[in-house]
Amino acid sequence: MIYIPAIDIKDNKCVRLYKGDMNRYKIYKNSPIEVIEEFQLQTLCTLHIVDLDGAVCGKPKNFRTIKEFVALTNCNIQLGGGIRTMDTIERYFDVGVTKVILGTSVLSDMRVLSEACYKYPGRICVSIDTLNGMILDMGWTNNTGRRDHEIIEMITGFNISFIVWTDINRDGVMGGINTTGLLRVINKSRLPVVVSGGVTNVADLIFLRNNLNDSLAAVICGRALYEGSISIDIIKQIGDD
């Protein structure tokens, strides 16, 4: 299991949303570039980036910032938000993004997922974002009326790297991970699962490592890092244990 720092970008700033609400957010840095030194990103690691504006608009809105960020780090970047066409996927790969995460397009046009997995096997991921058991897309602004197991069934058989599962009620709240929902997804999926949303402190990371190390591929850490309840040094130490 690995632990992955998260950077969410809104209006070219580094922010964290509260329960996925685009109108309730806290700005932590005036530019994600400022996070590079703080997160010690000059050395190789994995990083989770989301273009929040792009997720709502359906196309990249912070592309220049992301391009600059990628050029300044040696990180493996997994990127989501507004990636709904092959052209967008190719643009991000061209500037050095390692993996892209598809969400809305999986429900709206499975042809994009199919073509992307064929052309870039193992570099495509799928996000499953749920609120009270229902999947939200379009930057968490639209309730699709569908449940996570439906998407899991749809994508079975594609050459996907992993699923990113988020309980939106836990995102940016620092209230603990929804382990019940997470276990349900792990048990239903044949694909590796990455969890996002709810990490509060180092105890959460240790609990997941001790109990789900063989079942969970990675844990994404966001607000807990920015608030200081978890440090990059601790993440590296636990990951090396």
Side-chain angles (χ1 to χ4, degrees):
M1 184 189 302
I2 62 173
Y3 305 97
I4 305 174
I7 294 179
D8 289 356
I9 303 173
K10 179 175 173 58
D11 299 325
N12 291 308
K13 295 178 172 59
C14 184
V15 310
R16 298 303 299 171
L17 301 183
Y18 181 81
K19 292 188 177 183
D21 188 338
M22 291 291 177
N23 296 312
R24 301 175 69 186
Y25 62 91
K26 181 176 180 179
I27 298 173
Y28 285 95
K29 301 291 181 182
N30 287 322
S31 168
I33 306 301
E34 297 177 24
V35 180
I36 293 176
E37 183 174 354
E38 183 175 332
F39 280 9
Q40 303 169 36
L41 300 180
Q42 294 88 349
T43 57
L44 187 64
C45 66
T46 299
L47 189 68
H48 181 83
I49 298 180
V50 179
D51 179 350
L52 294 173
D53 303 305
V56 175
C57 296
K59 59 184 179 180
K61 297 297 288 184
N62 294 285
F63 181 83
R64 290 184 180 179
T65 299
I66 292 168
K67 179 181 178 181
E68 181 183 2
F69 186 97
V70 173
L72 292 172
T73 71
N74 292 314
C75 296
N76 293 315
I77 305 292
Q78 56 189 51
L79 174 74
I83 305 175
R84 299 179 193 170
T85 67
M86 284 301 300
D87 178 65
T88 299
I89 292 171
E90 290 163 357
R91 285 182 70 197
Y92 278 128
F93 282 152
D94 285 345
V95 298
V97 169
T98 310
K99 296 180 180 181
V100 299
I101 304 168
L102 305 182
T104 300
S105 63
V106 175
L107 289 171
S108 62
D109 189 355
M110 284 286 288
R111 292 173 297 180
V112 175
L113 177 66
S114 179
E115 184 178 351
C117 288
Y118 177 79
K119 188 170 183 180
Y120 302 104
R123 298 183 68 185
I124 306 300
C125 314
V126 172
S127 63
I128 299 178
D129 306 314
T130 63
L131 181 65
N132 301 322
M134 308 304 294
I135 293 176
L136 271 59
D137 64 1
M138 299 183 182
W140 297 352
T141 62
N142 176 60
N143 189 327
T144 68
R146 307 178 79 165
R147 298 188 178 275
D148 48 35
H149 68 86
E150 298 180 60
I151 307 303
I152 292 171
E153 292 170 2
M154 286 170 56
I155 64 178
T156 297
F158 287 95
N159 195 341
I160 293 168
S161 180
F162 54 76
I163 290 170
V164 181
W165 181 77
T166 304
D167 181 341
I168 297 170
N169 268 327
R170 304 294 180 103
D171 188 71
V173 178
M174 292 177 63
I177 289 172
N178 177 358
T179 53
T180 301
L182 174 59
L183 284 170
R184 185 187 67 250
V185 171
I186 289 173
N187 290 333
K188 290 180 179 295
S189 176
R190 298 178 184 177
L191 295 164
V193 175
V194 173
V195 65
S196 173
V199 171
T200 304
N201 50 43
V202 68
D204 288 334
L205 303 184
I206 293 173
F207 173 84
L208 292 171
R209 183 192 63 182
N210 291 345
N211 293 276
L212 294 175
N213 195 48
D214 295 331
S215 305
L216 188 62
V219 183
I220 294 171
C221 306
R223 184 180 170 189
L225 275 171
Y226 295 97
E227 297 287 345
S229 65
I230 296 175
S231 70
I232 290 294
D233 288 337
I234 288 293
I235 283 182
K236 290 182 176 180
Q237 180 182 335
I238 296 175
D240 290 338
D241 286 347

